[in-house]
Amino acid sequence: MNELPLITRARSHGAAIAFRSGTTTHTYQDILDRSDALASALLGEADDLKESRVALLLPGGFEYVAAQWSIWRAGGIKLPICLSATEPEWEYALTDSSVSIVVADAANAAKIAPLCARLGVRLVDIDAITSAPAKTLPQITSDRRAMILYTSGTTSKPKGVVTTHANIQAQIESLVQAWEWSARDRIPLFLPMHHIHGIINVTSCALWSGAMIEPFARFDLNAILNRVRVDAYTLFMAVPTIYVKLIQALESASSEDRAAIIGGFKRMRLMVSGSAALPASVHEQWTALTGQKLLERYGMTEIGMAISNLYHGERRPGAVGAPLPGVEVRLKTEGGQIITAEDEPGEIQVRGPGVFAAYWNRPEATAETFDGDWFRTGDMAVLERGYYRIMGRLSVDIIKSGGYKLSALEIEAALLEHPLIDECAVIGLPDDTWGEAVTAVCVFKDNATLELKTLREWCKDRLSVYKVPQSLLVVNELPRNAMGKVTKPAVKALF
Ligand code: MLC
Ligand code: AMP
């Protein structure tokens, strides 16, 4: 029988607890049973979803995973969408990938129902599905396409990154091996579930290993710390912004609370940071506070995780480490030379079974991003004493804020729809908490004025909260080069 290895493994973990939330628990068998019923409901009269796109609008947890597995077991492609996105952002993802079904819980189904009705997309409220007649599910081979994640780049609209079941399995197995995941692990899940960090590194690795997940509806700092202090977790994975917020919380806690929480962090077997650069100062502060040496790793939606500090070995502040198992990494100069020596910077290129299949419906963009069979990441790095250090990105139009990758061009396109904005340039400025803060430099029409607060209010119907500009600079004209093109480095130099 062709069953996905993930499902076969779940059968072997059967009675173990996969999810715990307060006193509510769900076993691996519960996920299998629930995904069976949901898969039958999704299929209806059909025998196989045959790679139809099924969007998922659910918070992380038992129902999310049951729905994800149901889509896969029914033969569909899962496309998770952001819970806090605006309607135009949802509409873009649903239409770009021709989604035919949206799966949501009752609360989120109510929010997206008008859009589904307008687009003629079937909406499945999983809270209304208590059981479904058992169907024979199709056989799914690993080369089938499994997931589309939307990611921003140097184009104004996000692109759908398509991975197969085999890609996903390779990404999981590499991390399970490198970080020694086991059935004894317990991890909190508070990252958004439309990105690879929450989906693969936390949830999929845990479930592959028979470990236990405690989901939180959002990053609820106090609720998480209350669990840390009672040793609820062996593992912790977060973006740098979260470590900054944790340091601030510990510094303002009473000495009694601080000691209890620090004890919980100290006793974890591993704490990981990634998705954006972890400043060496934050790394060092965390070690000074908790005694834990964070393990920093580097990855990307298109490739999964590629480079990591060692689990048994050096964890160097400011460096991302060495290639993970099954991943090949090389650096290439702008002139196309493969770098063989240390201390010479170049673009990171990655090859391996975890590398994505294609951008959805964009053969040219897919072709452009490969150099033979090597994926061009657009990130610059240098190899120093055996470890890679990330130096930045090739494109100034990519901003990383709170661990989210944002396209400056997408935000500019939205701002240009404002009736008073004539021209604008969006940049990321260094920020201690968010890594980079979205900043808009605008030329207004006819000497008009617009307060930042009013602009932010206007943006909220068009852009997710983390894309909304944090600051605004009004100028009479944007800096341009001799060809008349706006130059972002000159825009940055205005600050
Ligand atoms: C939110 N706020 C921001 C902001 N995001 N301000 C500046 N910059 C940002 N980026 C503001 C809001 O406007 C709000 O303000 C306040 O912060 C609280 O908003 P929130 O949404 O409730 O924030 P919070 O829950 O604290 O979110 C912080 C966070 C979140 C760090 C938990 O950003 C997050 O989950 N980031 C992780 C993203 C992620 O998973 N990335 C991985 C991509 S995959 P006010 O005024 O209303 O209070 C990838 C590959 C890899 O990168 O290698 O992993
Ligand atoms: P995404 O497209 O959202 O998957 O984001 C991937 C990008 O995040 C990479 O291309 C890097 O620019 C950045 N990134 C991920 N991990 C790190 C890290 N440890 N240090 C610096 N940048 C990182």
Side-chain angles (χ1 to χ4, degrees):
M1 186 170 94
N2 268 328
E3 183 175 71
L4 292 169
L6 165 105
I7 301 297
T8 312
R9 288 183 69 92
R11 291 190 201 288
S12 73
H13 303 312
I17 293 173
F19 287 99
R20 181 171 68 190
S21 228
T23 53
T24 308
T25 56
H26 294 284
T27 64
Y28 282 81
Q29 190 57 48
D30 292 336
I31 314 179
L32 289 169
D33 294 344
R34 181 75 174 137
S35 66
D36 217 342
L38 294 177
S40 301
L42 288 181
L43 281 168
E45 298 296 305
D47 294 326
D48 187 331
L49 289 179
K50 295 194 174 141
E51 296 193 339
S52 303
R53 273 72 62 207
V54 183
L56 207 54
L57 188 62
L58 284 168
F62 168 69
E63 288 284 6
Y64 179 105
V65 171
Q68 169 178 276
W69 289 7
S70 75
I71 297 165
W72 288 347
R73 297 178 77 189
I77 298 180
K78 167 219 176 191
L79 190 162
I81 51 178
C82 174
L83 289 171
S84 61
T86 62
E87 189 166 304
E89 289 169 327
W90 280 339
E91 179 167 355
Y92 173 73
L94 299 193
T95 50
D96 186 68
S97 54
S98 312
V99 161
S100 53
I101 310 175
V102 172
V103 173
D105 53 9
N108 286 299
K111 289 185 201 156
I112 204 167
L115 178 63
C116 290
R118 184 154 59 79
L119 299 178
V121 169
R122 179 181 161 206
L123 175 59
V124 175
D125 168 1
I126 56 168
D127 288 340
I129 300 174
T130 46
S131 66
K135 280 191 69 122
T136 305
L137 299 178
Q139 307 224 336
I140 309 295
T141 51
S142 291
D143 55 354
R144 197 185 276 229
R145 294 179 294 180
M147 184 158 74
I148 299 179
L149 298 178
Y150 274 84
T151 183
S152 297
T154 52
T155 47
S156 73
K157 290 289 186 190
K159 299 191 284 286
V161 172
V162 183
T163 41
T164 63
H165 289 286
N167 294 146
I168 292 173
Q169 186 175 330
Q171 293 177 5
I172 297 171
E173 285 181 316
S174 173
L175 293 186
V176 167
Q177 184 189 333
W179 300 342
E180 301 187 4
W181 273 92
S182 85
R184 291 182 302 281
D185 280 316
R186 307 181 299 275
I187 190 166
L189 168 65
F190 42 74
L191 291 171
M193 286 299 280
H194 62 293
H195 281 307
I196 196 169
H197 198 161
I199 299 169
I200 301 290
N201 299 25
V202 179
T203 310
S204 303
C205 286
L207 298 178
W208 185 265
S209 309
M212 193 183 71
I213 299 170
E214 269 196 24
F216 292 84
R218 47 177 292 277
F219 176 64
D220 183 343
L221 193 133
N222 289 327
I224 295 162
L225 292 183
N226 280 338
R227 295 293 295 149
V228 167
R229 63 194 293 158
V230 296
D231 289 336
Y233 312 122
T234 61
L235 272 170
F236 197 91
M237 295 187 193
V239 298
T241 298
I242 289 181
Y243 288 108
V244 173
K245 288 181 178 244
L246 290 174
I247 290 169
Q248 288 163 354
L250 285 174
E251 282 175 344
S252 60
S254 70
S255 54
E256 200 183 323
D257 281 345
R258 189 188 319 170
I261 297 165
I262 283 175
F265 281 124
K266 200 176 269 189
R267 288 184 289 272
M268 288 183 195
R269 77 167 180 86
L270 176 64
M271 298 188 72
V272 180
S273 173
S275 300
L278 177 71
S281 57
V282 175
H283 192 296
E284 281 151 7
Q285 250 180 307
W286 189 257
T287 308
L289 256 177
T290 66
Q292 273 278 358
K293 258 192 161 300
L294 295 176
L295 180 150
E296 185 174 6
R297 55 63 181 177
Y298 160 89
M300 198 171 178
T301 305
E302 286 89 335
I303 56 175
M305 298 304 111
I307 308 176
S308 170
N309 276 268
L310 292 186
Y311 181 56
H312 296 290
E314 189 187 8
R315 305 205 186 148
R316 191 187 302 167
V320 291
L324 278 157
V327 183
E328 286 179 83
V329 174
R330 72 178 187 189
L331 299 182
K332 208 165 182 186
T333 65
E334 249 181 282
Q337 226 85 45
I338 295 165
I339 296 169
T340 49
E342 290 212 337
D343 304 316
E344 218 187 303
E347 184 190 12
I348 305 177
Q349 300 197 341
V350 173
R351 189 164 71 171
V355 174
F356 76 128
Y359 290 116
W360 180 259
N361 254 345
R362 285 178 180 78
E364 280 144 38
T366 307
E368 268 170 30
T369 200
F370 278 92
D371 179 354
D373 55 354
W374 292 85
F375 174 72
R376 300 167 48 203
T377 63
D379 290 308
M380 293 289 291
V382 62
L383 187 63
E384 293 168 338
R385 289 174 290 124
Y387 271 19
Y388 288 94
R389 179 167 62 82
I390 309 289
M391 304 178 75
R393 285 175 296 275
L394 286 171
S395 170
V396 283
D397 286 324
I398 295 174
I399 299 170
K400 263 271 162 164
S401 188
Y404 285 107
K405 185 194 251 184
L406 312 177
S407 160
L409 306 184
E410 181 190 2
I411 303 171
E412 285 164 9
L415 294 181
L416 284 173
E417 282 175 25
H418 192 289
L420 295 181
I421 295 180
D422 198 14
E423 283 190 298
C424 70
V426 167
I427 51 173
L429 288 184
D431 184 276
D432 286 347
T433 301
W434 301 99
E436 288 183 298
V438 176
T439 305
V441 179
C442 296
V443 178
F444 288 135
K445 287 179 186 160
D446 308 323
N447 296 321
T449 53
L450 188 63
E451 296 288 322
L452 172 66
K453 195 164 165 264
T454 320
L455 178 65
R456 282 174 56 82
E457 217 31 63
W458 178 86
C459 283
K460 279 182 180 155
D461 294 334
R462 293 161 176 85
L463 297 168
S464 295
V465 61
Y466 44 85
K467 299 179 189 167
V468 174
Q470 301 299 314
S471 53
L472 167 68
L473 178 70
V474 183
V475 293
N476 289 327
E477 56 182 336
L478 292 172
R480 294 176 188 278
N481 63 16
M483 315 288 290
K485 201 172 170 311
V486 172
T487 56
K488 292 269 171 99
V491 174
K492 282 195 175 182
L494 295 172
F495 289 87

